[in-house]
Amino acid sequence: MQTKYSAYLTIYLSLIFGIVLSLLFVFVEGAAIGAVRAQAELVADLGLDSVFAEYHRELLEQYELFYVDSSYGGVNGGIGMVEKHLSDYMEYNLNPEKDLHLLGQTTLLKLINPYLEIAEVSCASDDNCMVWKAQAVNYMKAVYGGDLAARVREQMDIVQSNGLDEKDVAGALKAQKQEFEETLLEKGIVEYGAESEEGYSYQKVSGMFDKIIGEGILALVMPEHASISGAVMEGGPYFSVRKKNGNINRGIGLHEGADRPDGLADELIYGAYLMKMCGNYRAPKNEGLLKYQTEYILCGYKSDTENLRGFVERLFALRAAANFIAISGDHAKRSEVELVSAVLCTLLTVPELTDLLTEIILGMWAFAESVIDVRQLLDGGRIALIKNSGDWSTSLSGLLKGNLSGGSNHASGLSYQDYLSIFLGLMNRDTKVARSLDIVEMDLRKTDGNEHFRIDRCMDYIKVHFGFEDAGGHEFVFSRKMCYASESF
């Protein structure tokens, strides 16, 4: 008698086992692919972290900003150098045991990186140096907070509303003096030496004009025993020249998500950054190639002496315009000048020229006061932008006797550095930032290993396309972005 057994359970389990085993293989394959992708992304992130960890130490030390120098201290630089460094870091992370020389070493994933391309970079000089300026402005806001530019903006408003940056007091005074003397000549008057009882004469007024305008402002305003740096630019070409000639590296400009520092407030904050980082006559940067770096940014000459002279002439012109406005509205001073002018014109037998001579003497008085003002500023004093009558250091009698001394420093008012800040705020923005990068290059080229430093080779943002492949032939392609302003994104 034969016994029949039912096999439906065995068949059912065999079918189910095949399905489960297939699903298990799918899970294993998915896990392997996931592990490989995770490793690929980790390797890419670690590589970028390593590249950005190679920020320029001297640039950070002197200017508090983070950039990768694509030349790595060499003569040449560019994206290819950064790609090489990134590839080397990734190779190490793909095969961390490679340098240990272990026998039989292997990795189950056998991940390789056959494709690597840096697709985008932001160079410090991009977009008229907006990349550099953006990081500098963000640094100032992070460290100091608040409205750093409020006081400078207030003083700039005073300058612009009164036209102090546009008035040519010297030109107007020269024209008035020429008109006055041509009229005297037409009347046959060639001698100007007739003096009043007080010893005043037009000859002394004319001599004072020649002394201030003819001898040069710098010689008149330098404080006693003061010295001037003899530093001169060497080397080059520096950034502003290369930029003008179109010989700079270029990236994409400000990357997506970066704040564009193109408003007036940001511009004044950048000015505050320059005042903090750069030297000037009152606070020279002795380790720099030029000591008076802010004056270089404003004037652009090759020596400290030329830059100081150029700025002092601008400062004197502004002070002359401000003092002329003040004296023109001072009824007591105007009345005093009108009386003297009437006496001198009577002595010269040209009473009809009294009003013209009044304007000339008022301008000369403003000039004489400006000489004292600038001298005090260079000596560490403070001078209000628009002075009150009681703040004046010179007198009419002193002026007419040829005296350009006197005065004392005021406790209130603006310092030499404050006036520098005002002029930085008023100057052309593109010229300002380009010359400031000249200063950066000058300073860094004086340090060891940075003789060939160029700011346009420095990067603070990178976008990279990666391509990986594992032992099974699976490909993994993705992109990564990183910058110093934020975390990887």
Side-chain angles (χ1 to χ4, degrees):
M1 181 178 179
Q2 295 181 342
T3 304
K4 295 181 178 181
Y5 297 96
S6 177
Y8 73 89
L9 185 58
T10 301
I11 296 173
Y12 174 77
L13 290 176
S14 298
L15 294 174
I16 291 298
F17 182 74
I19 295 173
V20 171
L21 190 60
S22 298
L23 184 60
L24 181 61
F25 286 151
V26 169
F27 285 157
V28 171
E29 178 74 4
I33 293 175
V36 174
R37 173 173 288 278
Q39 186 188 18
E41 293 179 349
L42 182 59
V43 165
D45 290 340
L46 286 174
L48 280 174
D49 285 341
S50 298
V51 166
F52 274 73
E54 292 184 301
Y55 54 84
H56 199 289
R57 268 55 173 177
E58 194 65 39
L59 191 59
L60 177 65
E61 178 71 21
Q62 292 198 38
Y63 289 93
E64 302 288 350
L65 301 182
F66 287 92
Y67 283 93
V68 173
D69 178 7
S70 64
S71 72
Y72 297 94
V75 177
N76 300 309
I79 291 176
M81 298 280 285
V82 182
E83 285 181 344
K84 177 64 168 58
H85 277 240
L86 177 56
S87 178
D88 289 345
Y89 285 125
M90 289 172 55
E91 177 64 25
Y92 177 82
N93 289 316
L94 286 169
N95 300 286
E97 298 89 0
K98 181 178 180 180
D99 292 338
L100 299 179
H101 305 291
L102 300 176
L103 294 176
Q105 63 177 5
T106 185
T107 171
L108 294 177
L109 299 179
K110 295 184 179 180
L111 188 64
I112 60 173
N113 172 228
Y115 176 70
L116 167 65
E117 178 190 16
I118 295 181
E120 295 178 356
V121 298
S122 287
C123 299
S125 55
D126 281 354
D127 201 1
N128 281 328
C129 312
M130 278 292 177
V131 173
W132 169 270
K133 188 183 294 184
Q135 199 178 143
V137 169
N138 288 336
Y139 160 76
M140 293 296 287
K141 289 179 179 178
V143 173
Y144 297 99
D147 189 353
L148 296 170
R151 189 163 182 261
V152 177
R153 184 185 303 172
E154 178 184 343
Q155 301 300 333
M156 281 179 56
D157 288 344
I158 295 174
V159 169
Q160 293 176 313
S161 62
N162 288 282
L164 302 184
D165 55 331
E166 299 175 351
K167 291 183 184 297
D168 183 9
V169 177
L173 182 58
K174 185 176 181 179
Q176 291 168 338
K177 183 174 180 289
Q178 182 177 353
E179 179 185 353
F180 185 84
E181 293 177 357
E182 286 177 352
T183 304
L184 293 180
L185 186 61
E186 289 173 2
K187 293 179 177 294
I189 302 171
V190 294
E191 296 292 337
Y192 308 151
E195 293 188 357
S196 67
E197 294 179 358
E198 298 81 7
Y200 305 155
S201 70
Y202 177 71
Q203 184 171 318
K204 292 180 179 178
V205 173
S206 179
M208 177 64 74
F209 178 89
D210 294 338
K211 183 176 183 180
I212 295 176
I213 301 300
E215 294 184 10
I217 298 301
L218 186 60
L220 284 175
V221 301
M222 286 304 297
E224 189 177 0
H225 306 306
S227 61
I228 300 177
S229 165
V232 178
M233 285 173 58
E234 299 172 349
Y238 294 104
F239 173 77
S240 61
V241 173
R242 299 197 312 275
K243 179 176 182 289
K244 183 178 180 180
N245 295 334
N247 185 27
I248 59 173
N249 293 324
R250 300 184 187 277
I252 64 167
L254 282 171
H255 61 79
E256 183 181 358
D259 294 330
R260 186 177 184 83
D262 55 2
L264 176 59
D266 286 341
E267 192 64 29
L268 297 182
I269 290 173
Y270 184 65
Y273 172 80
L274 294 179
M275 290 301 301
K276 173 179 170 59
M277 299 299 173
C278 299
N280 59 72
Y281 173 76
R282 288 295 309 163
K285 190 171 182 179
N286 293 320
E287 63 273 21
L289 179 59
L290 293 179
K291 317 304 178 188
Y292 311 155
Q293 299 171 327
T294 311
E295 288 87 345
Y296 168 80
I297 293 170
L298 287 166
C299 301
Y301 297 119
K302 292 186 177 181
S303 71
D304 278 339
T305 300
E306 291 177 298
N307 288 315
L308 181 61
R309 179 184 293 111
F311 176 67
V312 162
E313 289 173 354
R314 296 186 192 183
L315 180 57
F316 176 82
L318 184 143
R319 289 300 322 143
N323 286 335
F324 188 76
I325 289 175
I327 198 172
S328 297
D330 191 317
H331 298 296
K333 285 184 171 60
R334 176 173 284 275
S335 297
E336 188 179 357
V337 171
E338 288 173 347
L339 180 60
V340 170
S341 298
V343 171
L344 294 180
C345 286
T346 300
L347 289 172
L348 294 170
T349 67
V350 286
E352 69 276 14
L353 297 180
T354 297
D355 290 344
L356 180 56
L357 184 56
T358 296
E359 294 303 313
I360 292 173
I361 295 178
L362 284 172
M364 287 305 306
W365 198 350
F367 266 37
E369 184 70 13
S370 301
V371 169
I372 304 301
D373 289 349
V374 177
R375 185 182 297 157
Q376 290 182 16
L377 288 169
L378 290 170
D379 202 28
R382 307 180 74 88
I383 301 295
L385 198 51
I386 303 294
K387 299 168 73 172
N388 297 319
S389 178
D391 293 333
W392 279 57
S393 302
T394 57
S395 64
L396 181 59
S397 61
L399 167 69
L400 296 176
K401 292 177 181 178
N403 183 10
L404 283 177
S405 62
S408 59
N409 293 335
H410 303 288
S412 59
L414 305 181
S415 67
Y416 180 83
Q417 287 92 332
D418 291 331
Y419 280 96
L420 283 173
S421 296
I422 292 172
F423 278 94
L424 284 174
L426 293 171
M427 80 175 294
N428 178 274
R429 298 180 180 185
D430 292 343
T431 302
K432 173 170 53 184
V433 71
R435 288 180 184 166
S436 70
L437 293 184
D438 288 349
I439 294 295
V440 173
E441 291 189 343
M442 290 180 206
D443 285 351
L444 266 67
R445 289 182 189 180
K446 284 177 63 67
T447 60
D448 292 339
N450 295 304
E451 294 80 6
H452 307 287
F453 176 83
R454 285 178 45 165
I455 191 64
D456 54 300
R457 292 173 178 162
C458 295
M459 307 168 182
D460 77 341
Y461 159 82
I462 298 176
K463 178 180 179 180
V464 188
H465 296 320
F466 295 96
F468 290 87
E469 185 177 334
D470 68 1
H474 301 103
E475 295 182 351
F476 307 91
V477 179
F478 56 90
S479 298
R480 282 288 188 272
K481 304 175 185 178
M482 184 171 284
C483 66
Y484 282 116
S486 62
E487 296 180 356
S488 178
F489 58 94

